[in-house]
Amino acid sequence: MTDTSAPAYTALALQSLCEAVNPCKSPEEARAKMMAGIVRIRAEIAGSIAFIGPEVKLVVLPEYALTGFPMGESAAEWRAKAAIDADGPEFEAMAKIASDFGIHLAWNGYETDLHFPELYFQGCVVIDPSGAQVLRYRRLISMYAPSPYDVLDRYLDAYGEDALFPVADTAIGRLSAIASEEILYPEIARLHAVKGAEVFVHSSSEVSSPLATPKNIAKLARAIENLAYVVSANTGGMTGTPIPQASADRGSKIVDPRGIILAEAASGPSMCAFAEVDIALARRLRRKTAMGNLLARQPMALYAREYAKADIHPEGSLMKDGEVQTPAKSFYRDRQTAVIEALAKRGVI
């Protein structure tokens, strides 16, 4: 029987400045900048917990908080500059933060993979208070970066089906990760939810506004649809790129399973998006016989029948003759153009 009396705790969506590595002239310079970023983030976490209190048990960091995103670099250049090893010093430093402060630390960055030396992936990782990596999710839908879907058969051979939508059963509830714009895709959250996820950790670097934005609307929708918490951390601005610094700023928030915003940060680096996460509330709502229990009312088999007929975005598009291909700079736009043309020919659009 599901435990409906789980203890509550405080979650923090830490809105931290992103100091991009794009201007760095060498991988060594980029690595030094990343480690300096970790030192700064550690100090921000320490200060936040000192202010909020020791009940902070989950801290979510923004998307690619240590690097920013590629802006004109080739796949090989960005892999060398910004993709880190899964057991490298950056992960070790993040694990030490988690263990030193007794928190679950969720963060997002670009990763290398020994199975795919031609590529890099954007990964979401949760580290528990022992310093162990208890969750690794690789972003599946990306406009300008490789994803497991692009090399799906080879990826499944290496990691198995469970690696696509992983859920970690932890002392603070069942956690899953959603990367950036994937909050716009209901299926990503739903497939985590049907595997038991109660808290979505959402690392993002997004345009925010006092007006409603697509991503902010989606955060509420994903919480309501799945009766889950959304802990969403946005960047508190980004330096080191030609884009104005405050373009990806503000709006880090925590949303409860009813779609209620419990806390939200204004502009700049901020610890103001913290709130209580009551796992017992999510579990009570999910066990309630009511119209509002949308998760229990989903005819998933019906959806699966129609999804199986739909052929929109092709899988394995970075595979050729059984070999992994490093994407050219034009690859992602060319692929989307071809998809749009195929949908138009079929009368879908």
Side-chain angles (χ1 to χ4, degrees), residues 24-40:
C24 294
K25 302 301 183 184
S26 67
E28 293 75 21
E29 183 183 354
R31 294 294 184 273
K33 193 168 188 176
M34 289 184 216
M35 294 303 293
I38 293 175
V39 171
R40 173 176 50 79

Side-chain angles (χ1 to χ4, degrees), residues 265-299:
S267 294
S270 174
M271 51 145 243
C272 292
F274 69 88
E276 184 178 78
V277 169
D278 182 3
I279 295 298
L281 170 63
R283 293 177 181 177
R284 288 196 305 272
L285 292 172
R286 288 180 171 190
R287 292 177 65 86
K288 188 175 182 181
T289 302
M291 288 185 66
N293 191 343
L294 302 183
L295 184 60
R297 298 175 61 206
Q298 291 296 329

